[in-house]
Amino acid sequence: MRQSPLFPILYNAFFNATSSTTHSASVIINESVRSRPGDAVAPTTHGLETTNEPTAFSGITTDPSQKTFSSSFSSTMSARVPASAISPEQWTFLNATVQGRLHADGAPFASPCFASESGSDSVQCASIQAGYLSEKYRVSFIGSYMMPQWETCQATGDGCLLNWQNPADPAAFSSPRTCKQGNVSKYYVDVQEPLDVTAAFEFARNTGVRIVIKNTGHDYQGRSSAPDSLTLSTRNVQGIAYSPTFQPDDCASISPQPAMTIGSGTVFGQAYEFAEAHDIT
């Protein structure tokens, strides 16, 4: 098998990224995992408060049928506004813009185990305890991270964790211990197309809410979580394509070269299998 490097690996949230000049095969990749490929997401409130009067933001126009999103803001807001301070009307407008892919029910991974939670569920708790240390199990939960400390707010210590040495230990989730939201975003967009990203960033620009981007939650520096933020979940962005003569858009000075374009919902195992099939591993 011909050996050629797969680097540089460029981390991007979507497909149409540009690569840097290299003299061997390059990869455009973002490590992420999709739990159920092909699942359709029907418009839903996902825990959002409904309102009969969704209010458009000043300077924003949307046309979902044309999949366009435009804005005319005069300046970018510098102050961060907690997601909990955003009005229901604003969230409803964003949900309509992303065609029902905004969720308002993001919860800490271990929350079903805590008796203090109204949604405590012994069956689901047992399942979470069994898979607590499993990366493959964790990736399908929006409130789960590969490194559990990033589920906890580093500034306050608020969190919702089990005992990693013994996930079945009831002392970790029994009274007086409580489950707190910590670094887990309650609000998140299930990204499936570029408009979702554009809409979310314009929403953040207008409201001041902080955005974090999460695929598998595999970030050693904890950049994929933040308290009271809006999360863009990119694990549903699927697809792999190979071009022997790839050239980035608007980069005529870069010579065509072999390259893979990989959606951020693709796991590394899939990427390597695809690369091997095209003899570029």
Side-chain angles (χ1 to χ4, degrees), residues 6-7 9 11 27-33 216 218 240 260 262-275:
L6 281 176
F7 296 99
I9 294 180
Y11 291 87
V27 174
I28 301 171
I29 189 168
N30 188 343
E31 182 187 6
S32 186
V33 174
T216 63
H218 189 92
I240 309 177
M260 290 167 58
I262 303 174
S264 60
T266 305
V267 297
F268 269 125
Q270 294 171 311
Y272 280 115
E273 289 176 3
F274 185 94

Side-chain angles (χ1 to χ4, degrees), residues 36-130:
R36 294 185 298 276
D39 283 0
V41 178
T44 174
T45 60
H46 296 304
L48 292 166
E49 294 184 40
T50 58
T51 175
N52 294 324
E53 299 179 356
T55 303
F57 305 138
S58 174
I60 299 181
T61 58
T62 62
D63 184 354
S65 65
Q66 299 298 319
K67 296 185 177 181
T68 61
F69 191 98
S70 62
S71 65
S72 57
F73 298 115
S74 59
S75 63
T76 299
M77 296 186 67
S78 58
R80 287 177 179 164
V81 175
S84 56
I86 306 300
S87 71
E89 290 79 15
Q90 289 174 308
W91 288 121
T92 299
F93 178 75
L94 176 60
N95 190 41
T97 305
V98 298
Q99 302 179 60
R101 288 188 283 272
L102 172 67
H103 298 246
D105 51 7
F109 178 53
S111 59
C113 293
F114 282 74
S116 60
E117 296 297 293
S118 59
S120 59
D121 183 326
S122 59
V123 175
Q124 188 175 1
C125 176
S127 179
I128 288 172
Q129 289 172 328

Side-chain angles (χ1 to χ4, degrees), residues 219-273:
D219 189 322
Y220 290 111
Q221 297 184 39
R223 294 166 296 185
S224 56
S225 66
D228 227 356
S229 60
L230 169 62
T231 290
L232 301 187
S233 174
T234 64
R235 63 190 179 90
N236 282 344
V237 181
Q238 293 285 307
I240 309 177
Y242 169 69
S243 171
T245 57
F246 174 79
Q247 188 175 43
D249 292 340
D250 302 319
C251 294
S253 62
I254 297 179
S255 300
Q257 57 189 296
M260 290 167 58
T261 302
I262 303 174
S264 60
T266 305
V267 297
F268 269 125
Q270 294 171 311
Y272 280 115
E273 289 176 3

Side-chain angles (χ1 to χ4, degrees), residues 186-216:
K186 178 182 178 182
Y187 296 93
Y188 65 97
V189 175
D190 176 18
V191 174
Q192 296 186 23
E193 58 182 60
L195 172 64
D196 299 336
V197 176
T198 304
F201 270 90
E202 294 294 357
F203 178 85
R205 186 181 178 189
N206 187 68
T207 62
V209 70
R210 180 176 183 172
I211 276 186
V212 294
I213 299 173
K214 180 182 188 291
N215 30 36
T216 63

